[in-house]
Amino acid sequence: MQYRKNEKNGEKISALGFGAMRLPTKNGMIDREKAKKQIYYAIDHGVNFIDTAFPYHGGSSESFLGEILKDGYREKVLLCTKMPSWSVKKYDDMEKYLEKQLEKLQTDYIDYYLIHSLGKGSFQRLKEIGVLEFLEEKKSNGIIKNIGFSFHDNGDAFQCIVDAHPWDACLIQYNYLDEKTQAGTEGLEYAHSQGVTVIIMEPLKGGILADVPEEAQKIWDKAPVERSPAEWALRWVLDHPEVTCVVSGMGELQEVQENLQVAEEALPGTLTSDELKLYYEVKEVYHDLMKINCTSCGYCMPCPVGVDIPSCFEIYNHKYMFKTSGTSFTYLTRLGGVFSGNESHAGLCNGCGKCVRACPQKLEIPALLEGVSKELGGFGFQYRVKIGKTILVPLFDAFLSLSERFSRRSRA
């Protein structure tokens, strides 16, 4: 296994991390024997970073890991989990959730504790109730070894958050289609320059880069070496020296084995110029399938009224490029600010035209935003946002609680 260093404390972290958000399931529950076999195999072959979070698998991911890591495996791994930021309303909530997570994980400490899904609005809210002071206190007590955050917002918000605290680590979405979205390459390089250990999620963009369009597969077939689309995607991320670890959600043992081999071989800066040209061609295929020819360059930002223009177009394009369901829900929760507290949806546009003057692609952005708002927002969007903020989060918390109780009962 290839290991890369946390420059702040010298820890050697496996280039491949195991993501416990997409464990194999059976009858809607974690397939415990299958998942245990895969995780043990990964650890036995050098993986030492495992990533989970409070809501994964309906709240049962942490409990499952706590059970299977008891028999000597806990000492072999760096365990990463996340504070459910949307459920934290006051200082005492942070204590409550951390204690609960330590209990579920059956451990006295957490190696990497991240604020989950941090954005500009949620960070400001959490700072006001003392999140940074809480994390630093737990770090000084040894309960948390490294402090960080996972991120889903725009580049400007990312840099502001990085600058706000001497973080140990961050978890960002990054792949060859997301060079200019969310934190992007610029954010990756900036965080690394500030001494922040950068861990990558969604290297396959939720599997989209593993199951590629036919036109893209024809391009990969031109390469002199045969690789699966998943391997091409993983190699691209690992080629960046700023990346410390790539977290992959692996549901089959074969996927674990393939990714282990890639992580062993894919050293930084080893992709050839000819191979990099193939990535460019594949990206062009995806871009040709887009409804809106937005490159996510960010010249249109910041919007005077707070619209996250690149993200609006990204979600809209995603619907047509990959024929996936759930884009309206993603639009509601992410850009409606249900969890982040920061509304940035297309319906906020007032047609000022500042973005049009700045856009290198000469897109008629207000008109395009109107279309996005009608299709992804639709009638009653603001009402659904209000419902989401006042009802969805409490319901989600209640679901996690019930799921956890059911999981405990099934194990008893």
Side-chain angles (χ1 to χ4, degrees), residues 2 4 15-16 174-176 179 185 188-189 192 198 200 203 227 230-246 262-277 279:
Q2 173 192 170
R4 301 186 181 186
L16 176 67
Y174 194 58
N175 53 69
Y176 66 79
E179 287 186 274
T185 302
L188 167 68
E189 294 175 349
H192 178 75
V198 184
I200 302 301
R227 293 170 180 158
E231 180 176 351
W232 282 108
L234 194 57
R235 280 180 176 272
W236 185 89
V237 179
L238 288 169
D239 199 59
H240 293 75
E242 301 88 356
V243 170
T244 299
C245 177
V246 180
V262 176
E264 175 67 26
E265 300 172 354
L267 302 176
T270 54
L271 288 174
T272 68
S273 58
D274 287 340
E275 288 172 332
L276 291 171
K277 289 177 183 176
Y279 285 101

Side-chain angles (χ1 to χ4, degrees), residues 61-97:
S61 177
E62 289 175 321
S63 299
F64 168 71
L65 289 174
E67 290 176 22
I68 69 165
L69 294 177
K70 284 188 299 186
D71 302 326
Y73 278 92
R74 173 66 183 96
E75 292 72 30
K76 297 180 180 181
V77 299
L78 299 167
L79 196 53
C80 174
T81 193
K82 309 176 187 73
M83 174 193 295
S85 58
W86 52 87
S87 296
V88 172
K89 309 302 181 187
K90 56 185 184 298
Y91 192 92
D92 290 346
D93 289 340
M94 294 184 279
E95 188 77 54
K96 177 185 71 175
Y97 282 111

Side-chain angles (χ1 to χ4, degrees), residues 8 115 123 132 135 147-149 161-162 165-169 195-196:
K8 285 193 174 182
I115 307 173
F123 184 49
L132 297 178
L135 294 173
I147 294 170
F149 62 95
I161 292 171
V162 169
H165 191 73
W167 306 98
D168 299 308
V196 181

Side-chain angles (χ1 to χ4, degrees), residues 134-178:
F134 172 82
L135 294 173
E136 287 295 344
E137 177 194 345
K138 298 305 177 184
K139 184 178 179 180
S140 67
N141 293 339
I143 297 173
I144 297 170
K145 303 298 184 182
N146 296 274
I147 294 170
F149 62 95
S150 69
F151 181 80
H152 290 291
D153 205 332
N154 59 49
D156 290 338
F158 181 75
Q159 184 166 332
C160 288
I161 292 171
V162 169
D163 289 343
H165 191 73
W167 306 98
D168 299 308
C170 66
L171 177 64
I172 64 172
Q173 178 173 320
Y174 194 58
N175 53 69
Y176 66 79
L177 287 188
D178 285 334

Side-chain angles (χ1 to χ4, degrees), residues 204-220:
L204 306 184
K205 205 172 175 68
I208 287 166
L209 301 182
D211 186 17
V212 300
E214 183 179 351
E215 301 94 323
Q217 185 59 57
K218 290 178 181 178
I219 295 169
W220 292 136

